[in-house]
Amino acid sequence: MIEMYDFAAFNDDRGSLIAWESNKNIPFEIKRVYCIYGVKDHKRRGLHAHKEGDIILICIKGTCKILINDGVYSTETLLDGANKGLHIPSGRWHEMYDFSQDAILLVLASNQYDEDDYIRDINTFLTDFGHKE
Ligand code: T46
């Protein structure tokens, strides 16, 4: 299920801290962490779906938008803080766009990198996951 998580921060007079832990506030075992930053104006990233594995996207600095298509419906979500995490399960086409210049998008993934796990062609995705008449 596509879900937005609201992560609790420890705030005090020194600032704020948020922790992400496997099978606690993250609903899977984290196998990989990567970040996306320095995205050039108007560039879109993603444009694929995963056959397996979940990801959680957290825009720890700046802002960006996420489009998710489940094969039938599309949603758009603004990510604008380290306390917000967008959970994208497998089988969802996703695109990231409208990055602010300072944006840093942190990604927590449930599996290791495997190019064979990617569906990068929208028509293949819609054939596999779209409405079957
Ligand atoms: C995703 C979205 C949110 C690796 O070698 N290891 C890795 O773990 C990753 C994620 C990427 N790469 C290489 C593969 C490509 O040569 O980094 C290069 C750029 O990857 P890609 O074009 O897939 O990047 P995005 O921003 O389009 O997508 C990434 C993730 O790849 C993807 O799984 O869900 O972020």
Side-chain angles (χ1 to χ4, degrees), residues 107-126:
V107 185
L108 310 177
S110 69
N111 59 4
Q112 293 189 312
Y113 177 70
D114 177 5
E115 183 57 35
D116 290 340
D117 184 51
Y118 287 67
I119 303 169
R120 292 192 184 271
D121 176 64
I122 185 73
N123 293 318
T124 304
F125 168 73
L126 291 172

Side-chain angles (χ1 to χ4, degrees), residues 32 34 36 45-46 48 50 55 57 94 96 113 118 120:
R32 185 163 50 114
Y34 55 93
I36 293 166
R45 302 191 62 117
H48 60 248
H50 292 290
I55 52 173
L57 307 184
H94 51 279
M96 303 90 81
Y113 177 70
Y118 287 67
R120 292 192 184 271

